[in-house]
Amino acid sequence: MSEAAQILVLGLPNAGKTHYGAQLYQRLREGRGKMQLGESPTDLSAFESAFNRLQDGRTAERTATQTYAELPISVRTGGNRAFELIWPDYGGEQLKTLLEVRKIPTDWVNRLSQTDRWMLFIRPFTLASNRDIPQRLEKRKGVSPDAPRPLISDWDDNARLVELLQMLLHGSQRSTLSRLETPRLTVMLSCWDELPDQQQRRSPIELLRSELALLAAFLESNWEPQTFSVWGLSALGKQLDKEKPDEEYLDKGPTAFGYVVPPSGGVNLPDLSEPLLWLLQDEE
Amino acid sequence: MIGSCNQKNCFPDGACTLGEPDKSACEHWKPAEPMGEGEASPSALQNGSDLRLPWNGLVFGTADLAHIAARGRPTLIGIIGAPDSGKTTFLVVLYLLLLRGARPGDMTFAGSHTLGAWEELASWTRPALNKPPTFPPHTASDSRGMPGLLHMALRDECGTLHDLLFTDAPGEWFNRWATKADAPDALGARWTIDRADGCLVFVDSARLAGSARGSARNELTALFHRMSDYAATHPVGVVWSKCDVEVSPPLVKSIDEIQRQHLPSSPTWRLTYQAPESVLKAISGLLTLLRVPPSLGRIAEPIIQETPFLAFRGHR
């Protein structure tokens, strides 16, 4: 008997959800990590395009906006426990729309309240948080109450991600009055290899604290420490082009590349299933 | 429009005030008239059952307080002072500090339901295309007679959640209130004083250093005097803003004396936005004085003995 472990993968567009899914699945298929593939899933079409492009050493296409498909993957872990991973496949645009229209569709409410394992993808390199407090502010002349209100896309990314998490938690009908024990949360800082060397030397949580401090404070103050963890992720291991195939990828195959950085930092682990194993642990 | 509700404070873009997750299931919800054949888009019809959020991210009015107050008594902090004395800039710098990971009163940021409002204020201080960073604009007066409220939740080291609300009110209200407490246009100032758990009173250093310092001192005296009753029972901090401008020592001394007379137990903080830590120090100082009441926690009934008979606590 396998336990069903539904994982809700969250992330705004271009945060690296598809690359991770595709690379993880190929590794499971080769059986080199701590997590092994059980029976083969029936429908792989969600990953097909990404697989093909990665084989050539090119980046995957963005996932279509409107669809939400679920890909069941049966896996076995070291302790010979069998799980049925339900890997969702959808476009990150859906979450972006949710932020803009400020309404949570009913199927998302169901999904949020029924899953107690969340995986949030954030790509720190592409985010903008202006941490400077200006040393000189110009005097404003006259009253200008009709100045345009900043759109949510112009917000500091810290605030945008906090608002997204607040909305998702509200949608999942969970309150932050006491620290959260569910959902168990893994934050994946994707495209770790893009970051400057100096930042890569830090542990993922330290990086989050320094680069997205408001978000880090929100996570640390609302989750029980043992129920959330922050990982670095480089699903591809190096930067790939959209069109030009990568020679090394062609020679060695995509599974030779990619790593995760554990919460304590310091090492690159080639086994991409490590964060999932953490997520699948039972709550103490 | 997809429908409407006849209940007070139930807004079309907000959540159901009676707590119905699906608004269309509420008895007071009136669906919109069908627009005629072929006009109604399927997505518009579906929208009625989508979950709406009880906050829209903008400044709070009283109607928005219900869902915050449901989890405990929020702490209202009055930001008081003459026009252009730096009240809004103080709030902006506080938010910019939070973005950098600051911990007011040794507590950690745990969320905000007015992030849109904080961002709106902060956007003025960010350089935009061909525009240098500026101070936030003058806070406009609101005819409803209550200040806009900015929300911030903080969690202390014991894991307890505290909801803070900051008033963002135009300074004219307080000047009017200082001269005539029951003036109709001082309604917002009275609203603040009647409800605030603690206040910060702003002293404008730049004005005290300028040629209008006589009238500035006069206004300040009136304001301190008016605050004295409140300060006898509530924590009040006196904040000298714009301290990069030097005020002549005799004037500082005379203001200090007026403060000692009317607000004898109020601490003084001197701050300037160029040294953001001074802002953090002032707010942390006030939070310590306030000993912020916690939101509701889990009630743990102590077990004194294992006998079921003693578990009976009598009728209330």
Side-chain angles (χ1 to χ4, degrees):
Chain A
M1 268 301 284
S2 65
E3 303 163 53
Q6 198 156 359
I7 289 179
L8 191 57
V9 174
L10 302 164
L12 292 170
N14 209 7
K17 301 182 288 295
T18 306
H19 280 150
Y20 177 71
Q23 280 283 58
L24 175 78
Y25 185 75
Q26 302 201 59
R27 278 165 150 85
L28 291 175
R29 204 161 50 174
E30 292 187 9
R32 286 197 297 197
K34 287 184 194 158
M35 195 183 260
Q36 314 253 318
L37 207 57
E39 297 153 40
S40 178
T42 45
D43 181 13
L44 277 181
S45 53
F47 284 152
E48 199 184 357
S49 138
F51 281 162
N52 292 338
R53 294 188 67 95
L54 287 181
Q55 294 300 341
D56 296 348
R58 291 183 297 163
T59 56
E61 302 276 3
R62 283 170 74 158
T63 312
T65 308
Q66 298 300 332
T67 57
Y68 189 99
E70 283 175 343
L71 180 74
I73 310 174
S74 45
V75 292
R76 275 176 294 112
T77 61
N80 221 11
R81 288 173 69 193
F83 289 100
E84 176 106 337
L85 283 184
I86 317 264
W87 193 265
D89 178 61
Y90 67 96
E93 297 284 346
Q94 289 190 23
L95 289 187
K96 204 175 148 198
T97 313
L98 195 137
L99 264 178
E100 281 155 10
V101 300
R102 307 189 64 82
K103 270 190 291 193
I104 309 176
T106 317
D107 46 353
W108 268 98
V109 171
N110 295 336
R111 230 169 264 149
L112 287 163
S113 45
Q114 283 159 17
T115 48
D116 45 19
R117 292 178 173 91
W118 293 4
M119 195 173 222
L120 173 68
F121 283 78
I122 295 171
R123 190 173 166 188
F125 190 69
T126 57
L127 301 182
S129 177
N130 191 348
R131 280 168 298 129
D132 297 331
I133 293 180
Q135 278 301 300
R136 209 185 123 63
L137 292 172
E138 301 282 333
K139 269 262 177 247
R140 291 202 60 76
K141 288 188 188 78
V143 188
S144 48
D146 293 331
R149 198 160 265 159
L151 299 170
I152 192 149
S153 51
D154 299 330
W155 286 20
D156 187 291
D157 278 314
N158 256 312
R160 233 150 62 93
L161 288 163
V162 168
E163 185 77 336
L164 178 67
L165 278 170
Q166 290 186 148
M167 288 166 100
L168 296 175
L169 283 171
H170 180 78
S172 77
Q173 287 152 38
R174 290 177 175 100
S175 152
T176 54
L177 183 54
S178 303
R179 283 203 170 107
L180 294 160
E181 284 168 10
T182 58
R184 213 172 155 77
L185 175 73
T186 294
V187 178
M188 303 289 269
L189 303 180
S190 60
C191 300
W192 189 261
D193 56 287
E194 288 178 331
L195 298 169
D197 285 346
Q198 184 204 354
Q199 292 188 358
Q200 286 192 38
R201 277 197 289 275
R202 295 187 184 156
S203 72
I205 183 71
E206 281 169 19
L207 182 90
L208 199 67
R209 281 188 201 130
S210 73
E211 299 305 306
L212 291 166
L214 190 79
L215 177 69
F218 182 81
L219 294 170
E220 292 189 294
S221 93
N222 286 325
W223 264 268
E224 285 289 350
Q226 71 277 15
T227 54
F228 97 98
S229 69
V230 186
W231 298 66
L233 165 72
S234 171
L236 304 179
K238 61 198 277 190
Q239 262 170 323
L240 295 184
D241 195 77
K242 212 166 181 168
E243 298 307 328
K244 195 170 156 285
D246 185 85
E247 294 294 327
E248 270 194 300
Y249 258 68
L250 285 170
D251 291 340
K252 295 183 188 164
T255 47
F257 299 91
Y259 56 87
V260 286
V261 183
S264 52
V267 279
N268 297 346
L269 307 172
D271 188 352
L272 294 188
S273 66
E274 294 276 358
L276 280 176
L277 288 167
W278 184 89
L279 206 55
L280 290 172
Q281 280 171 26
D282 286 318
E283 291 80 10
E284 298 301 311
Chain B
M1 276 294 280
I2 41 135
S4 58
C5 179
N6 59 16
Q7 292 295 292
K8 199 185 162 205
N9 294 340
C10 191
F11 305 108
D13 65 339
C16 171
T17 41
L18 298 179
E20 200 67 65
D22 178 357
K23 270 186 131 169
S24 57
C26 178
E27 55 177 317
H28 302 291
W29 180 253
K30 191 168 162 280
E33 299 290 321
M35 286 182 281
E37 209 60 34
E39 276 185 66
S41 68
S43 64
L45 288 175
Q46 209 180 23
N47 282 347
S49 61
D50 287 350
L51 182 72
R52 285 144 200 278
L53 303 165
W55 74 96
N56 63 9
L58 308 177
V59 281
F60 271 0
T62 37
D64 301 299
L65 292 176
H67 79 280
I68 290 293
R71 63 182 186 189
R73 190 182 182 286
T75 301
L76 184 67
I77 296 178
I79 304 290
I80 292 176
D84 197 32
S85 59
K87 301 184 293 298
T88 307
T89 305
F90 173 83
L91 292 171
V92 176
V93 175
L94 178 61
Y95 177 66
L96 294 177
L97 281 164
L98 281 179
L99 285 178
R100 296 207 301 186
R103 303 179 66 235
D106 272 337
M107 295 190 276
T108 319
F109 173 79
S112 164
H113 285 173
T114 58
L115 279 172
W118 288 114
E119 278 293 318
E120 193 178 335
L121 291 180
S123 69
W124 296 101
T125 68
R126 297 184 181 135
L129 203 63
N130 300 326
K131 279 190 207 144
T134 61
F135 286 101
H138 178 79
T139 307
S141 196
D142 185 316
S143 54
R144 288 172 305 168
M146 72 161 277
L149 301 176
L150 289 152
H151 169 245
M152 170 191 303
L154 299 174
R155 197 181 295 278
D156 66 20
E157 276 159 351
C158 309
T160 315
L161 192 73
H162 305 270
D163 280 306
L164 304 185
L165 297 165
F166 295 90
T167 65
D168 183 22
E172 289 82 0
W173 289 0
F174 300 108
N175 273 1
R176 194 75 189 102
W177 176 71
T179 32
K180 189 172 188 299
D182 56 355
D185 46 356
L187 189 67
R190 289 199 299 278
W191 189 97
T192 307
I193 292 295
D194 286 348
R195 289 161 183 82
D197 297 283
C199 285
L200 288 177
V201 183
F202 279 67
V203 177
D204 185 346
S205 304
R207 203 144 167 255
L208 287 175
S211 55
R213 57 181 175 272
S215 63
R217 186 177 58 181
N218 187 33
E219 280 169 24
L220 212 52
T221 314
L223 187 60
F224 280 3
H225 188 190
R226 187 69 75 198
M227 291 290 298
S228 59
D229 279 349
Y230 176 87
T233 49
H234 295 84
V236 173
V238 175
V239 165
W240 288 63
S241 61
K242 313 177 194 176
C243 279
D244 44 315
V245 184
E246 209 178 323
V247 184
S248 76
L251 185 55
V252 173
K253 209 175 149 213
S254 86
I255 303 275
D256 281 347
E257 258 165 39
I258 300 165
Q259 184 186 333
R260 255 199 303 281
Q261 191 190 343
H262 297 300
L263 308 171
S265 55
S266 297
T268 305
W269 291 289
R270 284 169 212 278
L271 52 92
T272 159
Y273 76 88
Q274 277 118 337
E277 309 71 43
S278 60
V279 170
L280 191 63
K281 213 171 149 191
I283 194 66
S284 296
L286 183 71
L287 289 177
T288 313
L289 289 178
L290 272 167
R291 281 194 207 92
V292 189
S295 299
L296 303 172
R298 289 200 190 104
I299 297 170
E301 191 76 5
I303 299 169
I304 301 160
Q305 270 199 345
E306 300 289 342
T307 318
F309 176 75
L310 294 177
F312 181 68
R313 308 247 173 235
H315 293 290
R316 297 262 158 86

